[in-house]
Amino acid sequence: MFKDMNIQELLTEKFLRYAAIETQSRADVQEVPSTPGQWTLARLLMKEMQELGMEDVEISEHCVVTGHLPARLPEGHAPVPAVGWMAHLDTVDVAMSPEVHPRIIKNYQGGDICQNEEKQIYITVSEHPELLEHIGEDIIVSDGTSVLGADNKAAIANMMTALEVLKAHPEIPHGTIYYAFGPDEEVGLRGAKAMNYDKFPVDFAYTIDCCALGEVVYETFNAGSVTLHIRGVTAHPMSSKNNLVNPIMAAVDFINLLDRAETPEHTENKEGYIWVTGIRSDVLNCTVSMNIRDHSREGYQHKKDLLRSALEMIKLKHPKAEMSLEITDVYGNIYDAVRDDNRQCIDAIYRALEELEIEPKTIAMRGGTDGSYISTKGILTPNYFTGAHNFHSRCEFMPMVAVEKSCLTTLKLMDLAVRNSET
């Protein structure tokens, strides 16, 4: 398929160009986008989309890039669904450098990969035996001082390469294809929430935002963010007995009411959790930040109720303190949007993988995608693999054979939208 084009080479060239743009998002900035580099990447993508034949390409006030490729069908062809793809512009902030310096390991022959000789940083086979599945392949890694940013620039390269293939092969029919690139996915799916869906009038959509070859996701967490506010009472040590209320100690008492078995480090698969992600305090005011995650709506609601009950208990223990709890829903489970009359886009992923001879690996994602929000807008948006591994870590790596197969899956889904409309 497409033997006249070197898909891996196109993907590599595009990924390296996008990775060179610093787009790490910031949770502490409320403006969308949260960092200026996301504008830089958005403008580059707008230009490239126009050059590759997309129409009505524009960037919104919140840095969401949208555009569509008009249908190219034989005269008299049956209507074809409008299909969308969305990827995010930002890379995650995990307290590492926002600058990404990729390097290509040509024809990997096994063994540990040295990311940074000067700093002696390695990806080791003992910790990542999955490396050995890619002997003989080209692999892209970071220099160990940052994430690689395959999450989600591998998806951006995928989508843009698919456009280039369609432009180079005018004989390939396709329906109307919509693209969206949004900012700040890593800090609460802000781009998907800020998007004007009049610019994305699709029957269904896809994200490409998970890891290894063959992975398919249509179940994600229900997610919420929680902030506990505690205002204590200050007093000089000379008169502090029975007067001073230490907000830090009140926060500790609250946290100790949580079940240690229901934290991220003790859960897996579809087990939900409450994660204490930060504490900020002085002698008067303390805030505790938490995340709630659960695949089931019932489990998600139970965790909300548990936190509210814990607050009432702590109020009894510290009656002089002022306390309040903010709970904000961040995204929902894609699966809750699946119905018999719309799941054809999920079925198409499995058919695409079958035709490409890729073994599917269905997983319930312990996280969320832009599709977790888009699906709540009535547009079912499942997710499939980028081909990369170890997102959100310095050990992130891209085996280019798997990344190429992800791009071929994108092209196959475009093809299936046409072929399925003929039956």
Side-chain angles (χ1 to χ4, degrees):
M1 185 184 291
F2 316 120
K3 291 183 179 179
D4 60 322
M5 303 182 75
N6 189 325
I7 303 294
Q8 275 193 51
E9 188 176 286
L10 289 171
L11 287 164
T12 300
E13 177 268 327
K14 293 181 192 302
F15 175 78
L16 294 178
R17 182 163 67 250
Y18 306 145
I21 301 171
E22 182 185 315
T23 60
Q24 188 180 93
S25 51
R26 290 182 55 181
D28 61 339
V29 175
Q30 295 307 307
E31 183 180 352
V32 180
S34 61
T35 50
Q38 296 184 72
W39 282 111
T40 304
L41 179 55
R43 294 185 185 105
L44 172 62
L45 291 172
M46 178 179 182
K47 179 176 180 290
E48 292 184 0
M49 289 163 71
Q50 291 168 332
E51 291 171 348
L52 292 170
M54 282 203 147
E55 298 183 0
D56 297 326
V57 183
E58 61 180 60
I59 306 177
S60 76
E61 62 179 326
H62 293 299
C63 197
V64 179
V65 190
T66 51
H68 76 276
L69 189 67
R72 185 170 66 195
L73 298 166
E75 186 175 349
H77 195 282
V80 173
V83 185
W85 273 263
M86 185 169 187
H88 59 89
L89 302 167
D90 61 322
T91 56
V92 70
D93 180 0
V94 285
M96 299 180 75
S97 172
E99 295 183 12
V100 177
H101 301 284
R103 59 181 303 234
I104 304 173
I105 310 301
K106 290 282 189 180
N107 190 22
Y108 171 64
Q109 289 301 298
D112 299 343
I113 291 178
C114 180
Q115 296 175 272
N116 192 313
E117 187 170 350
E118 178 186 354
K119 297 180 183 294
Q120 287 293 290
I121 302 174
Y122 287 82
I123 304 177
T124 63
V125 171
S126 62
E127 292 182 342
H128 299 283
E130 66 274 12
L131 279 169
L132 298 180
E133 299 173 12
H134 303 286
I135 289 176
E137 302 174 13
D138 291 352
I139 297 176
I140 302 179
V141 299
S142 78
D143 70 352
T145 65
S146 71
V147 299
L148 178 60
D151 178 10
N152 199 217
K153 289 174 182 174
I156 299 174
N158 180 323
M159 292 162 62
M160 298 306 289
T161 298
L163 274 187
E164 189 160 339
V165 170
L166 292 180
K167 182 177 181 180
H169 287 269
E171 76 280 5
I172 299 175
H174 59 77
T176 305
I177 296 166
Y178 284 84
Y179 276 6
F181 299 102
D184 291 343
E185 187 265 1
E186 299 287 5
V187 290
L189 316 187
R190 295 177 187 173
K193 293 175 181 178
M195 184 161 69
N196 177 359
Y197 283 87
D198 290 341
K199 301 292 183 179
F200 201 65
V202 299
D203 294 289
F204 51 84
Y206 297 101
T207 56
I208 313 169
D209 197 7
C210 66
C211 298
L213 176 67
E215 288 190 359
V216 180
V217 173
Y218 53 89
E219 292 185 75
T220 57
F221 275 139
N222 295 285
S225 64
V226 183
T227 304
L228 170 65
H229 299 276
I230 304 173
R231 184 177 178 85
V233 178
T234 61
H236 191 280
M238 292 178 64
S239 57
S240 61
K241 186 172 182 178
N242 298 324
N243 291 312
L244 184 144
V245 178
N246 186 335
I248 301 173
M249 299 305 293
V252 169
D253 289 340
F254 180 94
I255 293 168
N256 282 336
L257 291 175
L258 305 181
D259 187 345
R260 293 291 181 89
E262 291 194 359
T263 58
E265 61 268 35
H266 296 296
T267 52
E268 61 183 353
N269 301 321
K270 289 189 178 182
E271 296 171 338
Y273 60 75
I274 297 174
W275 186 0
V276 178
T277 58
I279 301 175
R280 293 185 179 182
S281 188
D282 54 30
V283 295
L284 181 60
N285 294 292
C286 179
T287 60
V288 181
S289 302
M290 292 164 279
N291 288 338
I292 311 173
R293 300 290 187 268
D294 207 289
H295 280 92
S296 79
R297 288 179 176 176
E298 295 78 13
Y300 180 57
Q301 184 60 47
H302 172 74
K303 288 175 174 58
K304 289 183 179 181
D305 293 341
L306 186 152
L307 292 176
R308 293 187 180 108
S309 296
L311 176 64
E312 294 309 309
M313 293 181 67
I314 296 305
K315 283 182 176 179
L316 293 174
K317 188 171 183 178
H318 302 277
K320 294 182 180 180
E322 298 176 15
M323 303 185 197
S324 63
L325 201 62
E326 292 180 33
I327 302 178
T328 304
D329 295 327
V330 179
Y331 58 80
N333 187 345
I334 293 172
Y335 189 74
D336 291 334
V338 178
R339 306 184 307 272
D340 289 342
D341 64 346
N342 71 357
R343 65 166 296 128
Q344 69 270 19
C345 60
I346 297 173
D347 297 336
I349 298 176
Y350 290 99
R351 184 174 175 187
L353 297 183
E354 180 181 8
E355 293 190 8
L356 293 168
E357 298 182 343
I358 299 170
E359 180 183 355
K361 301 170 185 175
T362 306
I363 64 169
M365 180 182 280
R366 290 180 62 77
T369 68
D370 280 322
S372 302
Y373 180 78
I374 298 171
S375 295
T376 69
K377 304 294 289 184
I379 304 168
L380 184 59
T381 307
N383 184 82
Y384 57 94
F385 66 100
T386 62
H389 292 254
N390 303 327
F391 285 3
H392 294 203
S393 84
R394 68 163 183 83
C395 297
E396 188 179 5
F397 69 91
M398 287 172 56
M400 293 310 296
V401 170
V403 175
E404 178 182 18
K405 288 182 178 180
S406 177
C407 185
L408 293 177
T409 301
T410 300
L411 288 161
K412 182 66 73 173
L413 288 168
M414 294 173 177
D415 172 56
L416 286 171
V418 175
R419 287 161 52 198
N420 289 343
S421 67
E422 296 169 349
T423 58

